[in-house]
Amino acid sequence: MTGSAQALAAQATLSATGALKLSWLLLAFPLFGAAVLLLGGRRTDRWGHLLGVAMPVAAFVYGVIAFFTLLGESDRSRDLHLYSWIPVARFQVSVGLLTDQLSICFVLLITGVGSLIIIYSVGYLWHDADRRRFFGYMNLFVAAMLLLVLADNYLVLYVGWEGVGLASYLLIGFWQFKNSAAVAAKKAFVVNRVGDAGLSLAIMLMFAEFGTMSFTGVFRGVGSAGSGVTLALGLLLLLGACGKSAQVPLQSWLLDAMEGPTPVSALIHAATMVTAGVYLLVRSNPILALAPGARLAVAVVGTITLLVGGIIASAKDDIKKSLAGSTMSQIGYMTLGAGLGPAGYVFAIALLLSHGFYKAGLFLGAGSVMHGMNDEVNMRRYGGLSNVLPVTYVTFGLAYLAISGIPPFSGFFAKDPIIEADFGQHGAAGKVAGVCALIGAGITAFYMTRMMFMTWYGRRRWEEHAASGEPHETAEPLAGGSVQGAHGSAEEYHPHESPPVMTGPMVVLAIGSVGAGAFLIINHRLQKFLAPVVGAPPNTHGFFTAPGIAATALAVAGIALGWWIYGRVPVPATAPAGGPLTVAARKDLYGDALNESLLMRPGQWLTRLSVYFDNRDIDGLVNTIAAAVGGTSGRLRRMQTGFVRSYALSMLAGAAVLVALLLAVRL
Amino acid sequence: MTGTAAPAALAAHATLAASAPGAISAPPIEYSQLGPMLVVFGAAIVGVLVEAFAPRPARRGTQLALSLGGLAAAFVWTVVIAASRQVFANGSPGHTAIGGAVGVDRPTLFIQGTIVVLAFISVLLIGDTRFSPFVAQAAAPPGATAEQEGLAAGAMHTEIFPLTLFAVGGMMLFPAANDLLTMFVALEVLSLPLYLLCGLARRRRLLSHEAAMKYFLLGAFSSAFFLFGIAMLYGFSGSVSLAAIASTAASNTSNSTLLFAGIALTGLGLLFKIGAVPFHSWKPDVYQGAPTPVTALMASCTVVSAFGALLRVFYVAFGNLTWDWRPALWVIAVLTMVVGAVIAITQTDVKRLLAYSSIAHAGFVLTGVLAVSTAGLSSALFYLVAYGFTTVGAFAVITLVRDPGGEADHLSRWAGLGRRSPVVAGIFAFFLLAFAGIPLTSGFTGKFAVFQAAIASGETALVIVGVLSSAIAAFFYVRVIVLMFFSDPVPDGPEVVLPNVFSGTAVGVGAAVTLLLGIAPQPVLSLASHAANQLFVG
Amino acid sequence: MTGVLAAGTNTDSVAVETVFWILAVVAVAAALAMILVRRAVHCAIMLAVVMLCLATMYAMQGAPFLAFVQIIVYTGAVLMLFLFVIMLIGITAADSIVETIKGQRLAAGLAAIGLLVLLALGIGHAAIGPAAPPSPKYGSGNLTGIATLIFTTYVFPFEVTGALLITAALGAMVLAHRERIAPRPTQRDLAARRLASGQVVGDPPPGIYALHDSADRPALLPDGSPAASSVSSVLNPRTGTEPPQVVRPGEKPQLEAADGGEREPAPSAGSGRAES
């Protein structure tokens, strides 16, 4: 294990040549788009969305070119040194872009799926007055995410990491006028800070230990570092990953983040940003290779999250929140894969890529349904929509088959190797994780089937609901032009299929959901491609091994159970009371309550304390957080009397002291 | 004319002694090396003539063109000298021109170039007459009919431009002065126009008059100390030349008390100009009362110039006495950082806030000065550039946020500005983040360089104090940002005027440099370390 | 301190030293007085005394040129100008010198004494050797010496001082010169304006009467009514026609009324008009 890590670290990174020399273009396109849209003001309103779409597409085109260039190269890691940032003495940080197998996978995912979702947004936000701002933020996000995956050192990665956090914060709170959106944005921001603290501590530790932050330097240095250092690094990186990827115990923000517009949920909170944690862990594989303890922790976190996410997803009636739980669960699988070491990295990435397709497809489908249903998010008011929204139905259904792990769709190929690899591990831990992953596969199939039946089949509960005249819940008041939905009156639903600009991307994503997994896994394509970065799995698997068959069987069982509960009998329009587990799951398994007692209460207490000191002070505007500093400030401020003679006095006294200080040296 | 190296002051006497009694041989005057200063002074004098002879409507445009042209020419000339192979032939650290009065060396040229560029931006702000912050008729008492008439007629004191140029000329000479007499003259040349300019605010004129008066009185007070210090140093060494003082200090240890009292008092004069605690008390009042473009000029150019002079005096004249003056300056630096940051917390006026922040920043630069090394010098130079551009930009933004009665100075008026004009508030927030030293802004790079240099020189305790006060300072900057973005806008809040080409350039250049020095500081850092590689000439 | 006098010959030294100490005491006393006296004129005179003492010391140091420049320029020109200005605009000691800041004077005194003690300690500690004798390198006299320094070593600061003087002149103009915004109205303009206003002649002057000729007494129009425009707007016109009451010591006001009856009756309105 150690040997392979050393070998990986030793892999020479060559300077970029040819088309790869232009890899800065990847950042330049979306950055330019964001700058024009955000600084241009209302002048760009008319054509803003076109620019907003064109820039990510341009980046995607470049990404494809770079990918094929990279395929043609024998040695496939290219580092583009941009410049040195603050070359002060020992502190040398060069800003560079690393184009290698791993980063190019992400580039294609981000720009490809990103472009599709942004095109979809053109239709989805057609009537939103602030559409330009939305596209500006989206471009900003794409640029930051690309910076994250292209960085050739941890500091630049951190810049991208914070950049996606900022974009996510801005986009969750895009509809600021909704209090819940503003609160959710703040929550995401705060919870992410906890994770970021872990990452920044890890970076500081790297600098203190190895004197560098570049990937090559750190990976070279980690070989000779003590086991304590590697363990600490691994755990800190895991903390960072937990925050960004919504893993237990920092999972709570993701469910609330669904307050953002649905394309945001699809791009940031399903396909790309939340997987940044997995990227971080896989990228840091030489560190994890030397820290078995940290790897175990990663696997445990992944296992717990995949179960927690699945349980939450099974109980939510809000279609987006259910999907968010599902995202947590799927990322749990990826984290688990990353925790398995070289046996799992490549499968984690494979799952990540195919998940990017089918989860984005599911979210866009959900968005399409909401678009047609006056932004109704409660699945208990759906039902029987398959005839009304046929294209959405088909694409959603394909993605459903993919996520449920039904062969030959993506999920099967991507997920089963992880479960298999679990059982391939030595010791009981691997077996336990494998069993949990198997159960998770069943849960996945169950909640997805539940979603399918509640949405597409059965009675048209929305007709009944409209007749009953109750106000319906709305999540997205301005989306899809349903302005009248904002005031929550009991008007009738008029479900309709979305315009082609929305269905088009959904179709493309559906194709990806069907084929991506098979394409990546069969013939070990991804495995061979990524081998220089993450190493090869020690042993390869067939597809219909015992765990694979068990997983498929459990998936079928989950589907059957779903049909038994939600397909066989009509779904009640109001949620039944449910057992204790259901109640707990509806409350996010008390994640918020836990956060509240552990983090929020002490935090609030501190805030109140500072507010108390604030109000005591002069006009409560720009005052002080701590009484000590504030009081000192007030007292010192009183010395600024405004009288020139008292100023002169302070100068005179200062002169006396200064002379005394200097004479004291010699007298 | 540049070829012959001018002898130092003492050597000049010796040469002259050899010549016939009574005959004075004219010293060589290196016009090409004094060019930048001569251009600025020349433009100022031409400006005075314009005042005398040009018809009133033509004056403003002429003066503006003259000032900007003069400053641009001075900058180009400075660059030409810096690139000159003649002055810096064979690794020479530079040259003392015109009888040893003026040092022409890389650090000085760097400082002068910085001053000229910052002055250029400040002149742009001064020349923005759309909402002129300058009084129409200074001679008319506040509120008098004559003042109303002047306002109605759109009158303007175009004398402001030559006065600014004189001040800038003095600022360029101040760090270049190689003897204390020249330095004192430069100090007065730079101060006198500033005293005048401070009193010319259009609104809240009594406050402005008060500011000018305070600045004048305290400035005169500090000048007296400076002179007293010069007298002591002259008594000690028999010369006012920095090099002669240094050589006497190295050889003669008997009269050291005179020397140290002299160091303390000349140091006081210089510390006053940079606003170090406890000689800082003028700063908030003056920054608040002065017209905002003048505040921008003072906060950027004057600070840069005064630090240049401080660096020259302490590195050249007292360079061998590091261990003697370090403790005293250490105390001053700590006081400056802490007091500046702490008092800033309770400020409610945005200009006063920036004044205290400027005090705290002076403390950070002093940290670099205390490193007493080429790294310290280069980091201080870099910090000055970074801070100068950020502060000019910040004051330019302040000119844009307006109430019916003038600039909206009170912070309560800035509440919720981020919702009304996100771009302006965003840029101001960016400047504040730079002041706070957040990474990817010039402020971070500057602080990093300064602290790094101080640590390398063993000043760890100082750096700890510095980091703590940056944390305190960051707090109040962030509070302003929170106020702008997360508070509800005040009803009938201030109007944000669209920047025109003048203020727009000032804001834009400030923001661009702040960003650039945060993302890619390498060129300026290497320029600064190249400049500091060879210290000042003696 | 006495070392500086070594330039003189031995026989002179006692006399010179005596003069120095007298002048030193006078100069310091005058300087202190300058800041302590309250009248501006006295202040200026005290400054003149300091200048004169300094001039004498320069002369004793063998610098006659400097001594005369000091007297002619500072004492003669600058200070006399000060005096003229002070006397012309009549600056008096109107400023309140009550100290409002608590402890200001005490603290100032302590700081000043502290600084003085420190400096005295510093200077006293230093052994100041004899100054270099007037160097022959500056030629025969100190005039040449000054010229040499001004035109060689210090030529640049000397020239730059010019900037200072220009600044001062320009600053004085900015602060004191009120530029006329509108052109000065000619007599023709004034006449036209008056005709346009409809009132061709000036306002009537207030009533001047034998009994009451105060400026607040309006003139009477031919019909006997008071003309309000004849009283300056800053005064309260006294409209009553009864004479003012004059209270003599020991008398009661009501007796005055009878007394007033003896006086001349108020003259007619026409006689009150002053010639203008």
Side-chain angles (χ1 to χ4, degrees), chain A residues 83 85 87 622 633 640 642 647, chain B residues 214 281 285 342 345-346 518-519 522:
Chain A
Y83 59 86
W85 185 64
V622 176
S633 178
Q640 193 79 10
Y647 297 175
Chain B
K214 280 177 181 165
S281 37
D285 294 13
V342 166
I345 288 178
T346 40
I519 297 176
Q522 166 70 36

Side-chain angles (χ1 to χ4, degrees), chain A residues 58-140:
Chain A
F60 176 66
V61 169
Y62 175 78
V64 171
I65 294 171
F67 172 70
F68 282 107
T69 318
L70 210 54
L71 274 184
E73 307 269 341
S74 53
D75 191 309
R76 288 161 171 177
S77 180
R78 287 291 179 274
D79 197 356
L80 174 68
H81 176 77
L82 291 179
Y83 59 86
S84 295
W85 185 64
I86 323 191
V88 177
R90 207 167 62 91
F91 184 80
Q92 301 282 347
V93 178
S94 63
V95 175
L97 300 181
L98 177 70
T99 319
D100 67 357
Q101 294 80 355
L102 185 58
S103 59
I104 202 75
C105 286
F106 275 86
V107 166
L108 290 178
L109 175 75
I110 295 160
T111 55
V113 176
S115 301
L116 289 173
I117 293 174
I118 292 175
I119 291 169
Y120 172 93
S121 315
V122 173
Y124 191 78
L125 288 167
W126 189 253
H127 296 281
D128 196 304
D130 259 350
R131 199 165 52 137
R132 168 189 56 84
R133 197 158 55 88
F134 178 84
F135 287 106
Y137 290 157
M138 283 299 242
N139 272 270
L140 184 66

Side-chain angles (χ1 to χ4, degrees), chain B residues 42-44 46-48 50 61-71 165:
Chain B
V46 174
V48 175
V50 168
T62 319
Q63 292 283 23
L64 190 59
L66 189 64
S67 308
L68 294 178
L71 289 170
L165 285 181

Side-chain angles (χ1 to χ4, degrees), chain B residues 27 56 137-139 150 153 240 255 257, chain C residues 122 127 151 154 157 171 174-175 179 181:
Chain B
R56 191 177 298 120
Q137 283 264 41
V240 289
N255 284 339
T257 48
Chain C
F151 290 110
Y154 300 117
V174 169
L175 291 185
E179 214 169 341
I181 304 214

Side-chain angles (χ1 to χ4, degrees), chain A residues 362-410:
Chain A
L362 287 171
F363 263 112
L364 294 192
S368 178
V369 171
M370 287 157 59
H371 183 79
M373 291 281 292
N374 287 351
D375 299 314
E376 178 61 70
V377 291
N378 189 347
M379 288 191 287
R380 293 193 184 273
R381 307 228 171 110
Y382 293 172
L385 288 169
S386 56
N387 300 330
V388 191
L389 292 93
V391 181
T392 310
Y393 166 61
V394 171
T395 56
F396 197 93
L398 290 174
Y400 155 72
L401 292 175
I403 192 174
S404 302
I406 302 299
F409 295 96
S410 275

Side-chain angles (χ1 to χ4, degrees), chain B residues 420-435:
Chain B
R420 302 151 133 271
S421 1
V423 175
V424 167
I427 291 177
F428 194 68
F430 177 63
F431 287 135
L432 291 175
L433 290 178
F435 284 139

Side-chain angles (χ1 to χ4, degrees), chain A residues 306-326:
Chain A
L306 77 89
L307 290 175
V308 166
I311 293 170
I312 291 177
S314 306
K316 289 282 178 189
D317 288 335
D318 178 329
I319 186 166
K320 282 180 74 181
K321 294 211 166 164
S322 183
L323 283 174
S326 154

Side-chain angles (χ1 to χ4, degrees), chain C residues 98-125:
Chain C
V98 176
E99 182 54 68
T100 49
I101 308 175
K102 219 170 86 181
Q104 162 83 11
R105 288 199 174 156
L106 181 69
L110 284 179
I113 290 171
L115 185 61
L116 277 180
V117 166
L118 280 169
L119 290 179
L121 211 66
I123 297 169
H125 204 264

